[in-house]
Amino acid sequence: MERLLIILAVLICAVAGVAVIAMAARGRRKPLRMGSELDAEDEHLLIGPVGPSPSLIDRQAEVLDPRLLDVESFELKPIPAPERTQRIEPPRPGTPDAAR
């Protein structure tokens, strides 16, 4: 019985190996492609209207000198801390606010 299972496992591995080899060989074939309806003379139809996209950068604008922007002249204020820094306890049972 054990020999039968071992022979069956070897047979399954061989079939799987053959399937992998067949799939690998199929991938080496030249891909099937249909011929194009357009010839070399029709190249202007494909790439004629496509050209460089217009730049979004305004090349005519004045360039600002970073030395003129004095960052130290700005007054930076610290972010104020919240007034309440302790946790609020929930209302105790029996008080009017406990029903909420």
Side-chain angles (χ1 to χ4, degrees):
M1 184 69 177
E2 292 174 356
R3 288 183 185 176
L4 181 63
L5 287 176
I6 292 172
I7 293 171
L8 187 62
V10 170
L11 183 64
I12 290 173
C13 286
V15 169
V18 168
V20 167
I21 292 171
M23 284 190 275
R26 189 179 309 165
R28 293 187 191 126
R29 292 183 192 161
K30 184 179 176 182
L32 300 175
R33 299 193 187 269
M34 293 182 62
S36 176
E37 295 178 2
L38 301 173
D39 295 332
E41 301 93 30
D42 299 326
E43 187 175 348
H44 68 282
L45 295 174
L46 292 175
I47 60 174
V50 177
S53 61
S55 176
L56 299 177
I57 300 173
D58 185 10
R59 307 266 183 213
Q60 308 298 327
E62 180 183 349
V63 178
L64 298 177
D65 187 9
R67 291 174 287 175
L68 296 177
L69 299 174
D70 187 15
V71 179
E72 295 176 358
S73 66
F74 299 120
E75 289 187 30
L76 300 176
K77 298 178 182 176
I79 299 173
E83 295 176 16
R84 173 177 43 92
T85 58
Q86 294 185 5
R87 183 177 173 165
I88 299 174
E89 295 183 21
R92 297 182 182 166
T95 59
D97 293 334
R100 285 195 227 173

